[in-house]
């Protein structure tokens, strides 16, 4: 297990390095200036601003200085469009995104897993089919259709809920629900598949044969093994939540990191772009690691494979 | 020539024949295929007989559905039905072409990786693992933001050098970056599938025969191995089409994708969301076409994958 984790950590570093390299060179490949909004600026002033941000140095030096500053000074640079430190922007917006993401994950697990279990237990009945049809709807109907519909048919009629905005604790509910739906749909499909796989195995037949109640067979004998695909999906699910947050934050006007990322990409704000995407990458690496550990705890085969690796 | 089998019509059941049989039994998948064919006919054939999707008529904005405007009109008095069909062209084309780009890259990459084996294979697959760990949308947004900044220059260059119509060229250069932004990172999973198939095919006798005949490695790979991988890979790629259509809509919704006067389903949903309180059909109708297409593509892809699953065939 230890060697397995070390390997995964090294791979995580490789991922961050690749993400940095791709983002850096793509940002450099964008034509034009990062300061185009400031018109009527003399060439001298422009040169000074470029110097201030270190943009006058050769590209390879910039490529190497940015990660160096992160490691040695913990500095993610200064946003060229907002004039504030990228670290500050992340520190201010990340708690909002985290709260949104965790609640969404809660909705996803709370809705997806029970539906998947129910579907598997009532396999090939109308319950199963309707559950899986609903899951497919969750995958196919985009959040930017569901979100606005929830705003007008739900938020507008339920006291205490706001159509958009951020400030009260309950404001997180609707965006989190919208964001969690897609992950819930995938979780339901994965849980169903996982449980069905376990239910067809010999030890489940044995458990049934010795007269255990159906509920006990499911809860005590099938759930642990059947949840492995769903748990392994938690890492990718988190990535999906981050991607989804770009949209949900726009719809519900949540002051989170997703908006900064999209703005940075459109305004050619390269330090903000690099900082936020590296931060996203870091979160993904950590979540994948957590999902691996959880999978290892649930599934002895993974632990043993990790040791012999 | 000896004719031992003359008059006997006994054929072995091929993989494709089995697959077709299983496919025919899957009613959901067949119905989905019908919906997709109908949708393509509507968007690419019927659309030509519709009203002009860009004709603004401010006197007749937010018209309710009628015989003249089947789905009513939008905030600028444009015919919503025509806009949905023309938007569908862009959405479906993005899905198909981005898939084609990713299939092309995925097949070459996966085939080379699997055929080379050893260290080259290990390094190439590690690169795929690394890229897969980065959220796709993060990569796509950065790539699309970079590529789309060249649209204006590309338009001017084409108009100057090739003398194309400026408006049409502008529409084209607006959409083309999307094909590549999605396709350039969309091949990762496909390359794994191709590699796995190449690994099993390269052990077969006909490859051994080709080696014995002294053919070059490149010739064996692309003339003998890849054609055998092509069919299943293209079937698998059916499942990536709805994903790309969804990503196009996400990018357009965020203002990074298709821009006016072009329309796509993502653009229409985004526009519709602005007039939600009074004109909910502006959001619902494009959303319905969009979701129905995605639904069908997913069911068809699932059905094709199940039908071709070699493990489940011929016990």
């Amino acid at each position: 297990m230890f060697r397995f984790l070390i390997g995964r950590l090294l791979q995580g570093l490789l991922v961050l390095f690749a993400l940095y390299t791709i983002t850096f060179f793509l940002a450099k490949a964008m034509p034009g200036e990062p300061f185009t909004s400031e018109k009527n600026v003399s060439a001298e002033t422009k040169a000074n601003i470029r110097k201030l941000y270190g943009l006058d140095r050769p590209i390879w030096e910039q490529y190497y200085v940015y990660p160096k500053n992160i490691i040695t000074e913990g500095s993610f640079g200064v946003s060229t469009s907002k004039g504030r430190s990228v670290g500050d922007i992340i520190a201010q917006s990340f708690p909002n995104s985290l709260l949104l993401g965790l609640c969404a994950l809660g909705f996803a697990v709370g809705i997806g897993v029970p539906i998947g279990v129910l579907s598997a237990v009532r396999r090939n009945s109308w319950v199963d089919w309707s559950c899986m049809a609903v899951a497919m709807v969750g995958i196919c109907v985009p959040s930017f259709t569901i979100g606005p519909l929830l705003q007008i048919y739900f938020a507008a009629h339920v006291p205490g809920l706001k159509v958009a905005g951020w400030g009260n604790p309950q404001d997180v509910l609707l965006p989190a629900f919208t964001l969690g739906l897609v992950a819930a749909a995938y979780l339901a499909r994965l849980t169903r598949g996982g449980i069905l796989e376990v239910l067809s195995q010999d030890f489940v037949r044995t458990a049934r044969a010795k007269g255990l109640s159906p509920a006990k067979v499911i809860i005590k004998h099938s759930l642990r093994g059947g949840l492995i695909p769903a748990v392994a999906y938690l890492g990718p699910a988190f990535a999906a939540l981050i991607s989804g947050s770009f949209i949900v934050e726009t719809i519900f006007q949540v002051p989170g990191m997703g908006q900064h990322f999209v703005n940075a990409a459109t305004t050619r704000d390269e330090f903000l772009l690099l900082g936020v995407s590296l931060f996203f990458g870091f979160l993904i690496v950590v979540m994948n690691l957590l999902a691996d550990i959880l999978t290892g705890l649930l599934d002895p085969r993974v632990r043993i494979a990790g040791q012999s690796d | 020539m000896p004719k031992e089998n003359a008059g006997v019509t006994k054929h072995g059941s091929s993989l494709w024949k089995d697959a077709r049989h299983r496919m025919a039994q899957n009613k959901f998948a067949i119905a989905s295929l019908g919906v997709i064919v109908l949708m393509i006919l509507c968007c690419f054939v019927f659309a030509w007989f519709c009203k002009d999707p860009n004709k603004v008529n401010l006197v007749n904005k937010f018209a309710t559905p009628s015989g003249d405007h089947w789905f009513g009109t939008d905030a600028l008095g444009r015919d919503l039905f025509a806009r949905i069909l023309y938007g569908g062209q862009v959405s479906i084309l993005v899905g198909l072409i981005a898939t084609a780009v990713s299939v092309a890259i995925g097949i070459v990459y996966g085939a080379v990786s699997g055929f080379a084996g050893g260290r080259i294979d290990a390094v190439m697959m590690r690169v795929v693992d690394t890229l897969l760990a980065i959220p796709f949308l993060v990569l796509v947004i950065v790539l699309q933001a970079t590529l789309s900044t060249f649209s204006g220059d590309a338009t001017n260059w084409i108009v100057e050098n090739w003398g194309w119509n400026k408006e049409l060229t502008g529409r084209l250069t607006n959409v083309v970056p999307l094909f590549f932004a999605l396709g350039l990172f969309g091949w990762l999973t496909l390359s794994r599938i191709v590699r796995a198939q190449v690994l099993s095919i390269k052990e077969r006798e006909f490859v051994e025969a080709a080696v014995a005949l002294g053919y070059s490695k490149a010739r064996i790979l692309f003339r003998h191995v890849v054609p055998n991988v092509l069919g299943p890979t293209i079937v698998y790629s059916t499942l990536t089409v709805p994903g790309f259509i969804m990503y196009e809509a996400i990018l357009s919704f965020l203002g990074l994708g298709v821009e006016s006067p072009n329309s796509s389903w993502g653009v229409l949903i985004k526009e519709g969301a602005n007039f939600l309180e009074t004109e909910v059909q502006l959001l619902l109708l494009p959303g319905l076409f969009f979701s129905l297409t995605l639904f069908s593509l997913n069911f068809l892809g699932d059905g094709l994958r199940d039908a071709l699953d070699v493990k489940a065939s011929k016990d």
Side-chain angles (χ1 to χ4, degrees), chain A residues 137-207:
Chain A
V137 169
I139 291 171
C140 293
V141 181
S143 54
F144 41 90
T145 305
I146 295 179
L149 289 178
L150 280 178
Q151 282 178 324
I152 187 147
Y153 289 115
F154 199 71
H157 300 291
V158 178
L161 286 181
K162 275 193 295 191
V163 171
W166 193 256
N168 302 319
Q170 70 268 27
D171 289 345
V172 75
L173 290 176
L174 275 187
F177 180 76
T178 312
L179 184 54
L181 270 186
V182 179
Y186 279 110
L187 275 176
R189 283 161 65 97
L190 285 170
T191 308
R192 176 180 180 271
I195 301 256
L196 281 181
E197 176 111 30
V198 172
L199 283 181
S200 69
Q201 286 187 10
D202 288 345
F203 69 87
V204 172
R205 197 175 51 189
T206 311

Side-chain angles (χ1 to χ4, degrees), chain A residues 248-267:
Chain A
V248 170
E249 286 179 10
T250 310
I251 297 173
F252 291 95
Q253 292 167 20
V254 179
M257 280 199 336
Q259 287 178 329
H260 289 305
F261 180 73
V262 177
N263 285 338
T266 45
T267 57

Side-chain angles (χ1 to χ4, degrees), chain A residues 26 29 31 136 140 148 152 265-266 284, chain B residues 133 145-146 149-150 256 276-277 298:
Chain A
L26 282 176
M136 202 49 136
C140 293
I152 187 147
T266 45
I284 296 295
Chain B
T146 307
T149 49
F150 293 102
L256 280 162
L276 195 59
E277 286 88 356
N298 273 316

Side-chain angles (χ1 to χ4, degrees), chain A residues 11 14-15 18-19 22 26 29-31 136 139-142 144-145 148 152-153 189 243 246-247 261 265-266 284, chain B residues 129-131 133-134 137-138 141 143 145-146 149-150 246 249-250 253-254 256 269 276-277 290-291 294-295 298 302:
Chain A
Q11 201 197 346
L14 198 68
V15 168
L19 178 59
I22 293 172
L26 282 176
M30 289 186 205
M136 202 49 136
I139 291 171
C140 293
V141 181
F144 41 90
T145 305
I152 187 147
Y153 289 115
R189 283 161 65 97
S243 305
F246 299 160
I247 290 194
F261 180 73
T266 45
I284 296 295
Chain B
D129 286 346
T130 306
L131 289 176
I134 304 170
L137 196 57
V138 170
I141 285 179
L143 187 58
T146 307
T149 49
F150 293 102
M246 179 65 104
I250 290 176
F253 187 83
L254 293 174
L256 280 162
I269 293 173
L276 195 59
E277 286 88 356
F290 179 87
S291 301
L294 252 62
F295 208 76
N298 273 316
D302 277 348

Side-chain angles (χ1 to χ4, degrees), chain A residues 38-203:
Chain A
E38 302 162 60
K39 278 169 190 155
N40 302 325
V41 178
S42 72
E44 198 187 347
T45 319
K46 259 189 182 167
N48 280 338
I49 296 179
R50 287 181 68 85
K51 199 168 181 183
L52 185 70
Y53 282 98
L55 293 169
D56 56 336
R57 299 188 205 173
I59 279 207
W60 63 265
E61 201 181 323
Q62 295 183 34
Y63 176 66
Y64 141 89
V65 160
Y66 190 76
K68 196 190 112 199
N69 283 348
I70 294 179
I71 295 165
T72 56
E73 300 167 27
S75 154
F76 285 90
V78 175
S79 154
T80 51
S81 67
K82 298 193 168 61
R84 288 166 54 203
S85 119
V86 173
D88 274 359
I89 296 177
I90 293 177
Q92 204 174 51
S93 55
F94 176 59
N96 299 332
S97 289
L98 183 69
L99 180 66
L100 178 61
L102 286 180
C103 290
L105 202 60
F107 273 120
V109 173
I111 300 172
V113 171
I115 285 189
V117 174
L118 188 69
S119 236
V121 173
R122 300 254 181 276
R123 185 187 185 179
N124 288 340
S125 69
W126 64 269
V127 179
D128 179 20
W129 290 326
S130 42
C131 281
M132 284 303 110
V134 170
M136 202 49 136
V137 169
I139 291 171
C140 293
V141 181
S143 54
F144 41 90
T145 305
I146 295 179
L149 289 178
L150 280 178
Q151 282 178 324
I152 187 147
Y153 289 115
F154 199 71
H157 300 291
V158 178
L161 286 181
K162 275 193 295 191
V163 171
W166 193 256
N168 302 319
Q170 70 268 27
D171 289 345
V172 75
L173 290 176
L174 275 187
F177 180 76
T178 312
L179 184 54
L181 270 186
V182 179
Y186 279 110
L187 275 176
R189 283 161 65 97
L190 285 170
T191 308
R192 176 180 180 271
I195 301 256
L196 281 181
E197 176 111 30
V198 172
L199 283 181
S200 69
Q201 286 187 10
D202 288 345
F203 69 87

Side-chain angles (χ1 to χ4, degrees), chain B residues 245-267:
Chain B
I245 294 182
M246 179 65 104
Y247 279 112
E248 178 279 316
I250 290 176
L251 287 174
S252 298
F253 187 83
L254 293 174
L256 280 162
V258 176
E259 280 163 18
S260 183
N262 271 346
S263 74
S264 75
W265 285 332
V267 172

